[in-house]
Amino acid sequence: MTRERTTRVFLWLAVLAGGPLVGAKLFDLLVLAGAWSANPPQSLAMMPYGKAWPVDTGVFFIPFSAAMLVAGFGALIAGWNTPWRYRWLLCVPSVGILTLLILTVAAFWPMNAALFYHGIGSPKNSITDAESIAMARLWVQLDWVRVLGATAAFVAALRALTLPWPQDVAAKDPPIVRAFLGLALLGVAGFVVWFVSNI
C-alpha cells in the first residue's frame, strides 16, 4: 500500500469518527450539560453518572476519541514526507485530539467527580454550593474549547482528504526534528497506555 493510500485510509477513519464525535459533543454540551449546569447545585443531580444512568457518556466518547487519535497519528506518520502546506492539515487532527484528551483528563475528570459528589451529597464532596456554581460555569466554558477543537480536527481531516495528493516530496527533516517526532510518538504511546489503564 502506498503512503498516499495509507494516509487517505487514516483520513477516512478520522472523518468517519470525527463527524459523530463533533455532533455528540454538541449534544452533550447543549442538552446534557445544559440541563445539569442550569441551576447548580440542585441541577447537578441530573449529571449522567451513577446508578441512575445505565450508560456512561464515556462509553461513546472514549472509543470515538481513540479512533480519532489513532487515525490522526496514522495519517500524520504516513503522510510525514508531504510538504508542510499539506502536512499541517495532518497535524491538526492528531495534535488536536491529543490536546483535548489531555485537557479532559487534567480538567474535566476532577471537575466531573467534584460536581457529581456535590450533587448527590456524597461524603467525598469537597466543594461548597458557591464553588459548584462557579465550577459548572467553568465546565461549560471549557467544553466549548473541546467542541471547537474537535470541529477543527474534523474539518482539517476532511480538507486533507479532499485536496489532491501533493506530487512533490518535502526535503528530509533534520535529525533534531526526527528525534523530536520519535520522542513525541513515545509520549503519545505512554499517554494512551496510561489513559486506557485509568478508564
Side-chain angles (χ1 to χ4, degrees), residues 7-29:
T7 304
R8 291 195 180 282
V9 166
F10 280 119
L11 287 172
W12 267 112
L13 178 59
V15 167
L16 292 173
L21 190 62
V22 171
K25 196 72 218 79
L26 269 174
F27 177 85
D28 180 55
L29 174 59

Side-chain angles (χ1 to χ4, degrees), residues 7 20 59 62 114 116 131 149:
T7 304
V59 172
I62 290 173
F116 177 70
E131 288 171 327

Side-chain angles (χ1 to χ4, degrees), residues 98-173:
L98 177 64
T99 303
L100 295 179
L101 285 173
I102 292 170
L103 175 65
T104 297
V105 170
F108 285 91
W109 283 8
M111 284 194 295
N112 288 348
L115 290 167
F116 177 70
Y117 290 142
H118 188 73
I120 64 170
S122 168
K124 295 180 180 179
N125 176 45
S126 60
I127 59 176
T128 65
D129 285 354
E131 288 171 327
S132 76
I133 294 168
M135 190 177 289
R137 188 176 301 122
L138 176 63
W139 194 104
V140 170
Q141 291 168 350
L142 285 177
D143 207 37
W144 277 110
V145 173
R146 290 199 295 189
V147 168
L148 293 174
T151 302
F154 169 71
V155 170
L158 184 61
R159 180 64 180 146
L161 187 61
T162 58
L163 281 175
W165 182 256
Q167 296 305 311
D168 51 327
V169 176
K172 193 172 183 180
D173 293 309

Side-chain angles (χ1 to χ4, degrees), residues 4 20 47 50 63 73 79 84 114-115 136 141 151 156 159 175 186 198:
E4 176 183 356
M47 289 187 80
F73 275 99
W84 274 107
L115 290 167
Q141 291 168 350
T151 302
R159 180 64 180 146
L186 283 174
N198 283 277

Side-chain angles (χ1 to χ4, degrees), residues 51-97:
K51 295 177 183 176
W53 292 84
V55 178
D56 189 314
T57 54
V59 172
F60 174 86
F61 285 112
I62 290 173
F64 275 83
S65 298
M68 188 73 178
L69 185 69
V70 168
F73 275 99
L76 179 61
I77 292 167
W80 186 257
N81 290 329
T82 57
W84 274 107
R85 69 177 186 276
Y86 183 84
R87 195 190 312 178
W88 78 270
L89 289 169
L90 305 179
C91 291
V92 174
S94 51
V95 175
I97 292 298

